[in-house]
Amino acid sequence: MYAPPRFVLLSECALTVEFGDEITLRTNELVLACSASIDQAALPGVVDVVPTYRSTTVYFDPLRTDTTTLTGQIQALVTQNIHTLLRPATTHTIPVWYGGAAGPDLLEVAELAGLTPADAAGLHASVTYRVYMLGFSPGFPYLGTVPERIATPRLPTPRKQVAAGSVGIAGTQTGIYPQTSPGGWRIIGRTPIRLFSLHRPQPFLLAPGDFVRFVPIDEDEFGRLSMEPA
Amino acid sequence: MSPKPSIIHVLRPGLFTTVQDLGRLGYQRFGVSVSGAMDPWALTVGNRLLGNPDHAAGLELTLQGPELLFEHRLSIAVTGADLSPTRDGVALPMWTVVTMPAGSRLQFGTRRQGTRAYLTIAGGIEAPLLLESRSTHVQSGLGGLAGRPLKKNDTLAGGGLSGRCCEGRTLAQSSRPQYLTSPTLRVIPGPQVGRFTEAALHLLAMSPYRVTSESDRMGYRLEGAELPHRGPADIISEAVSAGSIQVPPNRQPILLMADCQPTGGYTKLATMIRADRSLAAQLGPGDSLSFVVISAKEASALFRSLHAELERLLPPQGP
């Protein structure tokens, strides 16, 4: 059993359904199950559903529904056995060239942890991560949980440009920048894998609830894999 | 009626001109911003004057408009900010369908009122539909012309969508918005109002704020009375939307706008109502604004009445 969700208005056209106050697997599974049930129910007037770590936000058209109606409908959905709606998770293997030009912050992350860069990279690659949510930019995954020893806060000043494919750490979160963009996470490596491409039938590689395993590769392997089509 | 394609040459791009429609909804869960016209009302009026469907794309012009050469005869409308549009040097009426003859030039001059103007054309601006929208989101390089603002020597194609046009069709003078340089924007209490001191919402409503130079389509950094938190300014990342008023640790509010990221990790004190998005879109750096708090019920009613007014003034005509 779990506590009933809390409903909060993000705007007069968006209702946020909160399942807890912390980042846990259980809370995030509830979020994804609830989001899937809302998708499946195709509630009238719902225009977008955005699951995040601990809540899901339901955007709606105020000409077609209202918060009272939606709250009632969602309350009814979450009392059902919504966990059966969770799609089977895919585990993705993502090759990463750690350190060097690809990971300008690996040295500092390793030093702060009292590890060699190779051991810090090995520790980062030793865990299977869960995709808790996507956000920030198209296809950017928020992954958890980074081993405590190498959990490092964001840079004091964000970089103006982080290369596409960069793998970063922010506290116990890790993530991958799908496009070149500004960013404040500590960059420890880079993957040649495209996380977002409109040239594929499925533009987004990862979905919330998926799992990610990082596999260390060297610069040569990175170069070879970069040549392969998306 | 089979629409004829039409070519427009970009002689000068203007300060920041992008292709926009009503936005890219449905992909926020993958990290895709909604984007779309900052002033959706002005874009929609332009499209409806021309008989275009509401989802047709137009150009959003910012402060300084472009210079465009029309290779083919084409009906257009300019709505939103008054940036002094001219056709071959002669002033053009705003909020009105006018014809650009083949070989004519559209130019813009002094900014008289507002910040963002919309150029809509019969049949809409052509751009690939990416994730169901033509809107440009520059930060992710998505939509419009290769995900970027217009540049010199670009070529635009238009007229792909069929529409029924009527020269001279106009929005009544009395229905045209007045864009103030110090408007009062209505807000409802935000999702983390409880994470601020009791005074914070009053302070937001009691004191004027200035739009700083760090203001763009993603959001406006505002400057004014400090809004004190009870505890940390950070929260676990969750959905944010255009209209959200975030307050980072420096206690100065950020009003999120059309290009905002779908999620964010700062406390949100309040949310500007959707009916006031157009007023906010027409603000620029240096302008000031005030806030007033209303209820979510009032906000919904205001949204519905704004929609009803549009339906009354300009019923949709497109297919």
Side-chain angles (χ1 to χ4, degrees), chain A residues 30-194:
Chain A
L30 274 172
V31 166
L32 297 186
C34 175
S35 306
S37 73
I38 295 167
D39 281 342
Q40 199 199 44
L43 303 177
V46 170
V47 296
D48 209 349
V49 180
V50 188
T52 56
Y53 279 113
R54 58 169 189 125
S55 64
T56 190
T57 295
V58 182
Y59 288 84
F60 62 92
D61 178 353
L63 301 173
R64 292 170 60 206
T65 187
D66 57 63
T67 50
T68 313
T69 308
L70 262 182
T71 303
Q73 288 167 329
I74 295 167
Q75 270 167 342
L77 285 173
V78 295
T79 55
Q80 295 166 19
N81 188 18
I82 52 177
H83 272 87
T84 57
L85 295 173
L86 285 175
R87 55 180 203 92
T90 309
T91 300
H92 305 266
T93 300
I94 303 216
V96 179
W97 166 26
Y98 284 99
D105 299 326
L106 180 64
L107 210 59
E108 202 182 338
V109 168
E111 268 172 19
L112 288 168
L115 293 169
T116 65
D119 286 346
L123 193 52
H124 183 262
S126 69
V127 185
T128 300
Y129 295 97
R130 175 181 174 84
V131 180
Y132 279 93
M133 57 179 275
L134 302 180
F136 178 69
S137 71
F140 185 106
Y142 288 80
L143 306 168
T145 308
V146 173
E148 202 62 52
R149 186 151 184 196
I150 52 165
T152 317
R154 288 174 173 79
L155 293 169
T157 311
R159 286 192 173 85
K160 290 222 163 66
Q161 211 179 58
V162 171
S166 290
V167 176
I169 289 179
T172 55
Q173 306 175 97
T174 185
I176 310 164
Y177 289 81
Q179 294 113 346
T180 301
S181 66
W185 293 29
R186 307 260 179 177
I187 305 304
I188 58 169
R190 199 185 300 167
T191 179
I193 301 290
R194 300 276 301 271

Side-chain angles (χ1 to χ4, degrees), chain B residues 37-41 60 62 81 111 114-116 118 177-187 211 215-217 219-220 222 242-245 255-258 271-285 287-291:
Chain B
M38 289 276 277
D39 183 343
W41 199 84
E60 181 177 283
T62 316
R111 169 197 182 197
T115 293
R116 293 179 172 87
Y118 294 85
Q178 291 296 310
Y179 301 130
L180 310 169
T181 52
S182 50
T184 298
L185 304 176
R186 292 163 288 190
V187 299
V211 181
S215 297
D216 56 21
R217 282 183 44 91
Y220 300 166
L222 306 179
S244 287
I245 298 175
L255 172 61
L256 296 183
M257 298 297 288
T271 313
M272 179 183 69
I273 70 167
R274 205 155 116 178
D276 283 349
R277 243 181 236 180
S278 296
L279 272 179
Q282 296 300 343
L283 292 170
D287 288 343
S288 61
L289 70 164
S290 308
F291 295 104

Side-chain angles (χ1 to χ4, degrees), chain A residues 8-13 21-22 39 48-50 52-54 57 59 62-63 133-139 198 204, chain B residues 25-26 28-32 140 142 191 236-241 244 261 263 268 271 273-274 296 299 303-304 307:
Chain A
V8 187
L9 281 183
L10 171 61
S11 76
E12 77 273 32
C13 326
D21 261 341
E22 45 187 28
D39 281 342
D48 209 349
V49 180
V50 188
T52 56
Y53 279 113
R54 58 169 189 125
T57 295
Y59 288 84
L63 301 173
M133 57 179 275
L134 302 180
F136 178 69
S137 71
L198 288 169
F204 304 96
Chain B
L25 260 179
Q28 293 185 90
R29 69 180 69 181
F30 294 109
V32 179
S140 52
L142 196 60
I236 297 170
S237 285
E238 62 174 30
V240 302
S241 92
S244 287
Q261 293 161 3
T263 59
K268 298 175 286 295
T271 313
I273 70 167
R274 205 155 116 178
F303 176 79
R304 282 192 289 266
H307 178 82

